[in-house]
Amino acid sequence: MTQYDVIGIGNAVMDVISQSDDAFLTRMGIEKGIMQLIEQERAELLYGAMENRRQIPGGSVANTVAGVANMGLKTAFIGKVRDDEVGREYAEKTRQGGTDFPNDPFTGEQLPSSRSMIFVSPDGERSMNTYLGISSEVGPDDVPDEVCKNARILFLEGYLYDKPKGKQAFETAARITRAAGGMAGIALSDPFCVDRHREDFRKLVKELDYVIGNEHEWKSLYETEDLGFALETAAAESGLVVCTRSGHDVVIVRGEEEAIVPVTEVTPVDATGAGDLFAGGFLFGLAKGADLATAGRMGCVAAAEVISHYGARPETDLKALFKAEGLL
């Protein structure tokens, strides 16, 4: 059976990208520069209206895992797509990118595959309209035992807690991986997600092997404006705590060990995927046995690459960038 360095479980969302001007956004009733969730009928309307669309598999943890695959490690992504045009392309492109996608597209499901229609304006603003579709229906039956048993590191997407079956899928995957000697950790996903599931997430900080979040998510978790207090509380409860702070030093704490990782500020072309690829670089470092500061630097290098172009997945050999920075 295949041995995996890093596997992830989360929403399998196809990013559908199209160039559009402000007049088009106004005509279609799209609010510029924000992400909003939409229903199926609206999704079909917007999808049909997109010209010269480019489709790239996405989803937060899926992007992280794709980044780790780019770095040369063995990866798998557990997600759910329907046997439709978007779902088949999602599975095929994920596999082409070097990540195993163990669940074939589902037949007979009522909901279409998930997609995020991203309209890029001439000024670089991105207006995202996301239809969650079948990806948010992932449940414990979709978790392949053999993949989880053979994984060294499992990365979980906090958004899965929005549905009971997603929570069960998440807990099943973590139990199987850890019982086989692997590590399991979570991305806090966003401050609103933390608000919705604060009690569960506080429990996970104590139970899982590592937790990655940004400063807003950590402050939301402990209901404080004092980041130092939030991180001290988390570090006392968790095996490994990672806190990113947009454009500022990254803080990583494991027991008595602390690393403050400096960040080189980069003017983003497109900030989408920065957190996802930071996690990818960090998990690569963790899998390779790097010290905390080196793993954190790897995360920063990967994040800087992905914000230098459109799209949430790397376009450069990240391992080569690590070597150029003296990290390998």
Side-chain angles (χ1 to χ4, degrees):
M1 182 64 199
T2 305
Q3 296 291 315
Y4 295 101
D5 297 296
V6 177
I7 66 170
I9 177 169
N11 286 302
V13 183
M14 183 72 89
D15 287 341
V16 188
I17 303 168
S18 173
Q19 305 286 331
S20 61
D21 58 22
D22 289 359
F24 174 86
L25 298 181
T26 303
R27 193 164 66 249
M28 299 303 293
I30 296 167
E31 202 168 332
K32 186 174 176 178
I34 67 157
M35 194 286 279
Q36 53 190 11
L37 295 176
I38 57 173
E39 296 301 322
Q40 183 177 342
E41 190 178 338
R42 172 81 171 154
E44 287 168 0
L45 173 74
L46 293 182
Y47 187 74
M50 298 180 93
E51 292 182 6
N52 304 314
R53 59 182 178 234
R54 197 159 54 101
Q55 302 196 157
I56 306 166
S60 177
V61 164
N63 291 335
T64 296
V65 171
V68 178
N70 170 288
M71 297 164 205
L73 297 188
K74 189 66 188 161
T75 59
F77 176 64
I78 300 163
K80 193 163 189 171
V81 296
R82 187 179 172 186
D83 188 8
D84 54 20
E85 183 191 342
V86 169
R88 288 188 294 273
E89 186 175 343
Y90 190 99
E92 186 183 335
K93 283 187 171 176
T94 297
R95 290 164 181 158
Q96 284 172 355
T99 292
D100 283 357
F101 190 71
N103 295 333
D104 287 328
F106 282 80
T107 54
E109 294 282 351
Q110 295 306 303
L111 292 173
S113 295
S114 308
R115 65 205 72 184
S116 181
M117 275 67 68
I118 302 167
F119 298 90
V120 184
S121 306
D123 60 4
E125 281 269 22
R126 290 159 67 92
S127 310
M128 302 171 72
N129 296 261
T130 302
Y131 168 61
L132 286 177
I134 197 175
S135 74
S136 63
E137 297 298 312
V138 68
D141 294 344
D142 304 312
V143 175
D145 278 29
E146 285 303 308
V147 172
C148 294
K149 272 182 197 165
N150 288 283
R152 293 173 59 208
I153 298 174
L154 166 67
F155 191 41
L156 303 151
E157 188 171 298
Y159 287 125
L160 287 187
Y161 263 67
D162 282 336
K163 288 204 172 179
K165 64 171 78 171
K167 179 178 174 178
Q168 290 161 11
F170 179 116
E171 290 170 348
T172 300
R175 187 180 65 250
I176 296 168
T177 298
R178 297 180 87 205
M183 295 174 66
I186 182 178
L188 293 176
S189 293
D190 79 34
F192 303 109
C193 185
V194 174
D195 285 343
R196 293 193 295 272
H197 307 294
R198 184 172 290 108
E199 195 176 316
D200 278 326
F201 284 4
R202 282 194 184 174
K203 198 166 148 218
L204 289 171
V205 168
K206 295 175 183 175
E207 292 175 355
L208 295 179
D209 301 295
Y210 65 92
V211 182
I212 300 176
N214 65 33
E215 59 182 317
H216 307 296
E217 292 154 5
W218 283 114
K219 288 195 285 194
S220 171
L221 187 65
Y222 294 103
E223 298 178 278
T224 178
E225 282 305 307
D226 184 342
L227 181 62
F229 168 78
L231 295 182
E232 276 175 33
T233 307
E237 297 178 341
S238 172
L240 175 57
V241 169
V242 183
C243 176
T244 59
R245 301 181 299 154
S246 184
H248 300 284
D249 296 351
V250 176
V251 181
I252 308 170
V253 187
R254 180 167 56 195
E256 296 299 308
E257 187 185 359
E258 181 179 80
I260 306 295
V261 184
V263 171
T264 306
E265 273 209 74
V266 178
T267 302
V269 171
D270 171 13
T272 315
D276 304 340
L277 266 293
F278 172 86
F282 179 78
L283 294 179
F284 173 85
L286 212 56
K288 298 295 274 185
D291 61 56
L292 296 186
T294 301
R297 278 291 304 137
M298 288 171 166
C300 293
V301 169
E305 190 282 335
V306 85
I307 66 172
S308 70
H309 56 76
Y310 286 115
R313 299 209 167 176
E315 292 182 353
T316 306
D317 179 349
L318 293 172
K319 209 168 171 185
L321 295 183
F322 296 161
K323 284 178 182 165
E325 291 277 336
L327 300 172
L328 283 177

